């Protein structure tokens, strides 16, 4: 597993940007606190990225959103809040204990009717869902990234927005042997994003989660 290194100044800048620009609400803070108190790994997106997801939902006018990887529901809250009246988010989580905490956090945010947490391996859940989704956010087991991208195409339509988190992984995509469990799958998924199915880019980020990035794409 790769070590994520967060430089102190990256963290300070992220905190300043979060307080000055992003301005998370008590429901976002609560989701983070609950996750910490219940001993969940601190692997949710940064608040700056949560806000970006929320803006992408609004900018794209998405009404149906699919998330793969729920954890405590932090990113689900950001996206769920951005949905228009009648919109819906389906989010997939493998671990029942994570799903239970996410449901609590989503209910505290008033989103229990707008977000459905599906428990089980995402590949099983995805096979039960019906598209088209307008936006797909992928943030789960990296080994299945390419399968999730193929599902995004299957459950999407031309123009569906796809966001794939952890696309830079401390630069390990240039040296996948640094993290044999994850990096080769990340590279494979980026190659898929660079192929004919998608129109894509990758934005590098530096912050509390270290040096990373996200891929942003639309289905062709
Ligand atoms: C990085 S966390 C998600 C963070 C969340 N998107 C956020 O930003 O708040 C990844 C989550 O995916 C879940 N996960 C891992 N493998 C999975 C699988 N095969 N199917 C569904 N969920 C999975 C993990 O249990 C974990 O809760």
């Amino acid at each position: 597993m790769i070590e994520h290194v967060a430089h102190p100044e990256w963290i300070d800048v992220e905190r300043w940007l979060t307080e000055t620009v992003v301005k998370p609400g008590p429901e976002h803070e609560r989701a983070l606190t609950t996750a910490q108190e219940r001993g969940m790994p601190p692997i949710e997106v940064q608040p700056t990225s949560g806000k970006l997801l929320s803006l992408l939902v609004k900018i794209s006018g998405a009404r149906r959103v699919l998330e793969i990887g729920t954890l405590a529901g932090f990113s689900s809250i950001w996206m769920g809040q951005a949905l228009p009246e009648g919109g819906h988010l389906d989010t997939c989580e493998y671990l029942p204990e994570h799903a239970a905490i996410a449901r609590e956090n989503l209910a505290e945010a008033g989103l229990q009717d707008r977000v459905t947490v599906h428990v089980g391996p995402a590949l099983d859940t995805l096979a039960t869902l019906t598209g088209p989704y307008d936006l797909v956010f992928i943030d789960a087991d990296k080994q299945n990234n390419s399968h999730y991208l193929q599902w995004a195409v299957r459950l999407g339509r031309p123009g569906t927005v796809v966001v794939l988190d952890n696309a830079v992984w401390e630069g390990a995509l240039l040296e996948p042997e640094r993290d044999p469990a994850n990096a080769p799958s990340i590279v494979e998924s980026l190659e898929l994003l660079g192929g004919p199915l998608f129109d894509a880019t990758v934005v590098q980020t530096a912050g509390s989660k270290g040096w990373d990035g996200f891929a942003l794409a639309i289905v062709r």
Side-chain angles (χ1 to χ4, degrees):
M1 189 69 178
I2 207 125
E3 191 194 351
H4 294 279
V5 185
H7 292 233
E9 63 269 38
W10 297 351
I11 299 174
D12 291 345
V13 168
E14 182 183 303
R15 191 175 297 127
W16 189 90
L17 292 173
T18 300
E19 286 167 7
T20 310
V21 183
V22 172
K23 298 185 188 288
E27 65 284 9
H28 303 113
E29 305 289 357
R30 186 187 184 283
L32 293 179
T33 309
T34 323
Q36 200 179 9
E37 286 171 357
R38 309 277 184 95
M40 296 171 95
I43 51 172
E44 69 285 327
V45 296
Q46 296 136 248
T48 44
S49 301
K51 185 66 169 284
L52 175 72
L53 289 168
S54 145
L55 290 169
L56 286 172
V57 171
K58 291 182 186 177
I59 291 165
S60 65
R63 299 184 65 81
R64 296 196 66 208
V65 175
L66 172 62
E67 177 179 56
I68 304 168
T70 316
L71 195 68
F74 185 67
S75 51
S76 318
I77 292 173
W78 281 106
M79 291 189 287
Q81 288 174 325
L83 285 168
E85 196 60 39
H88 200 84
L89 165 68
D90 288 296
T91 182
C92 306
E93 174 53 51
Y94 180 65
L95 293 175
E97 55 271 33
H98 287 187
I101 295 169
R103 285 189 182 118
E104 278 177 37
N105 287 329
L106 287 159
E108 285 288 331
L111 293 169
Q112 64 278 5
D113 297 332
R114 211 181 281 189
V115 180
T116 304
V117 183
H118 301 265
V119 186
L123 288 177
D124 291 353
T125 302
L126 292 167
T128 69
L129 299 176
T130 307
Y133 286 91
D134 305 307
L135 186 145
V136 180
F137 175 47
I138 301 170
D139 186 21
D141 48 332
K142 311 307 163 205
Q143 299 76 15
N144 277 316
N145 269 2
S146 294
H147 291 129
Y148 297 148
L149 285 172
Q150 279 152 2
W151 272 107
V153 174
R154 223 169 284 155
L155 292 174
R157 53 167 171 76
T160 288
V161 178
V162 179
V163 183
L164 176 88
D165 202 12
N166 307 121
V168 173
W169 210 241
E170 299 290 331
L173 40 105
L174 297 187
E175 300 162 285
E177 63 281 2
R178 280 169 55 202
D179 184 1
N182 296 296
S185 315
I186 294 172
V187 170
E188 184 191 294
S189 59
L190 292 172
E191 286 168 352
L192 186 57
L193 282 167
L197 293 174
F198 297 95
D199 195 6
T201 188
V202 174
V203 177
Q204 293 192 66
T205 56
S208 57
K209 310 292 177 182
W211 173 27
D212 210 337
F214 60 89
L216 177 62
I218 53 172
V219 174
R220 284 196 203 266

